[in-house]
Amino acid sequence: MSRQKTSSQPGLALHGADELSSVRVQSYNLEIRSEDGFLGDKANRAAFFEILEELRRELRKQDADPIEIPTDDLSRKKIDALLTRGDLREASLIHSAIETFAQRLASVTRRFLRIKSWSDASRIVVGGGFRQSRVGELAIGRAGILLQAEGRAIELVPIRNDPDEAGLIGCAHLAPSWIFEAFDSILAVDIGGTNIRAGVVQLNQKNASDLSKAKVWKYELWKHAEEDPLRDEAIDRLCGMLEDLIGLAKKKRKLAPFIGIGCPGVILEDGSIDRGAQNLPGNWHSSRFNLAAAIRERIPAIGDHDTMIVIHNDAVVQGLSETPFMQDVAQWGALTIGTGLGNASFRNRTKQA
């Protein structure tokens, strides 16, 4: 189960806090076991490719595989092309993989809905890299249909923002209220098992005080999985990305002395990571490593102010990007399909009519 944090002051920025300005984080990073491993492994990105390869393996026994490219060489774009522009058999094969994956995703969702912190959720947003493809969108939509056809009052919908940007935009909801009074932008970081993104999020509070108009002004992407760096090398590269962004924003934005970070794992109050970051480069769980301290040492100040850093779980942060659009429900959840299957559940602090 997740480790949850408490704060007696709603809106006070703490690492891994469960009380935020607009929502209470009910749970996150739940590690649910099934008979043959962790439940999340049944509905992550690798699971889809395993399903597709298993179908192709059976077809190859009859010399009937319609796809020439090896499964390991199929990118999201190539799979989408087979779905939308392939011949009948190519498209049918992709649809078959989508259907099997959707059934798994529906099964995983049912298990989450049996948990107390998820049981009252009426909507689940699905993010992560898999959602960026048409294949991912269809799998999410089909899983939602399967659940509703059982009579469940639950919506399963793709996350509104591009997942590349949702993990950055959500960081704005980690910032303390004083940030919004004097600044128009923040620095945000989305750390994943494959990529690390750093960006400047433009808050646009004059257009919408609820951050529904927040958008990414600039961002940098590093595909660290292709380079297999050491942990300290990854931190050094990340800080370099942040320094570049600070330089770009210096004359064009009122940049707050704040860095919001979404990171896999259970985030402790001191900014260290308890568990769940096994897909990151190196050992991020070490008692001698503190993510917030490592970044603050390199970037002690932004402008004339000391740097403030707030870290939360990456699925929580992606989910937070949806907060302004969830005011018609009381409780909701977020799943992120990528290297792993991230999860978080929320209850709104106030429910608008």
Side-chain angles (χ1 to χ4, degrees):
M1 299 293 286
S2 73
R3 179 168 179 171
Q4 298 187 36
K5 304 295 166 194
T6 59
S7 167
S8 59
Q9 302 180 56
L12 181 63
L14 298 173
H15 300 300
D18 63 348
E19 294 286 354
L20 300 174
S21 58
S22 299
V23 299
R24 175 181 176 84
V25 182
Q26 299 282 86
S27 66
Y28 72 89
N29 201 62
L30 296 179
E31 297 173 316
I32 307 172
R33 289 188 175 274
S34 61
E35 294 180 356
D36 52 352
F38 285 107
L39 187 67
D41 292 340
K42 296 181 180 295
N44 59 19
R45 183 174 57 203
F48 176 82
F49 284 95
E50 289 169 2
I51 290 167
L52 179 58
E53 176 58 23
E54 178 60 28
L55 288 168
R56 296 185 65 188
R57 188 179 299 118
E58 292 302 315
L59 290 172
R60 285 195 292 269
K61 292 177 181 178
Q62 305 173 53
D63 196 24
D65 183 358
I67 300 173
E68 296 181 358
I69 303 171
T71 302
D72 289 344
D73 294 335
L74 288 173
S75 64
R76 286 196 304 258
K77 289 183 178 180
K78 289 178 180 177
I79 293 177
D80 274 358
L82 290 169
L83 177 69
T84 58
R85 300 192 298 274
D87 64 27
L88 176 62
R89 285 185 57 77
E90 289 171 336
S92 297
L93 175 53
I94 301 302
H95 269 292
S96 297
I98 290 171
E99 177 64 24
T100 302
F101 184 85
Q103 291 175 5
R104 287 196 188 181
L105 180 57
S107 176
V108 167
T109 303
R110 291 185 199 102
R111 285 289 302 274
F112 276 107
L113 293 173
R114 287 164 51 187
I115 297 169
K116 184 177 181 180
S117 59
W118 279 76
S119 59
D120 293 329
S122 52
R123 185 177 300 145
I124 299 172
V125 294
V126 184
F130 188 69
R131 172 259 177 268
Q132 288 177 293
S133 63
R134 183 60 176 166
V135 165
E137 290 178 341
L138 287 173
I140 294 164
R142 176 59 178 147
I145 292 292
L146 289 170
L147 292 168
Q148 290 182 331
E150 298 170 355
R152 296 177 185 269
I154 186 75
E155 295 178 74
L156 205 63
V157 296
I159 202 164
R160 186 178 305 260
N161 292 291
D162 185 304
D164 282 352
E165 299 192 353
L168 300 175
I169 292 171
C171 288
H173 295 268
L174 299 177
S177 58
W178 60 265
I179 290 290
F180 308 121
E181 297 172 4
F183 304 96
D184 66 11
S185 304
I186 65 161
L187 287 168
V189 176
D190 181 13
I191 300 174
T194 302
N195 304 314
I196 292 177
R197 297 176 184 83
V200 175
V201 175
Q202 187 174 331
L203 302 173
N204 289 325
Q205 283 230 296
K206 291 183 179 179
N207 297 326
S209 61
D210 63 357
L211 296 173
S212 60
K213 299 296 184 180
K215 66 178 183 179
V216 176
W217 179 66
K218 300 281 187 183
Y219 82 90
E220 293 188 13
L221 169 66
W222 175 35
K223 298 181 179 181
H224 66 81
E226 296 179 358
E227 301 179 29
D228 194 25
L230 299 174
R231 182 194 66 207
D232 291 349
E233 292 172 338
I235 297 299
D236 186 64
R237 177 70 174 269
L238 169 58
C239 289
M241 294 162 68
L242 289 168
E243 289 168 340
D244 290 344
L245 290 164
I246 292 170
L248 287 172
K250 190 173 183 179
K251 295 182 179 179
K252 297 184 178 181
R253 305 244 55 91
K254 293 180 180 179
L255 186 63
F258 175 86
I259 304 173
I261 301 175
C263 181
V266 176
I267 311 301
L268 302 184
E269 190 172 315
D270 67 353
S272 60
I273 304 169
D274 183 29
R275 64 184 184 278
Q278 64 274 4
N279 291 320
L280 300 183
N283 180 11
W284 293 54
H285 302 131
S286 171
S287 60
R288 293 175 292 179
F289 174 70
N290 183 286
L291 177 57
I295 295 175
R296 191 179 295 109
E297 181 178 0
R298 174 75 175 264
I299 308 175
I302 299 174
D304 297 326
H305 303 276
D306 291 343
T307 301
M308 179 181 189
I309 298 173
V310 178
I311 306 171
H312 217 311
N313 174 266
D314 57 340
V316 170
V317 175
Q318 276 209 37
L320 289 174
S321 71
E322 289 285 315
T323 301
F325 314 105
M326 291 292 166
Q327 298 306 304
D328 59 327
V329 297
Q331 187 167 329
W332 50 285
L335 296 173
T336 57
I337 304 174
T339 308
L341 180 71
N343 60 84
S345 63
F346 307 87
R347 180 175 291 278
N348 288 330
R349 296 186 60 82
T350 58
K351 183 179 178 182
Q352 300 175 358

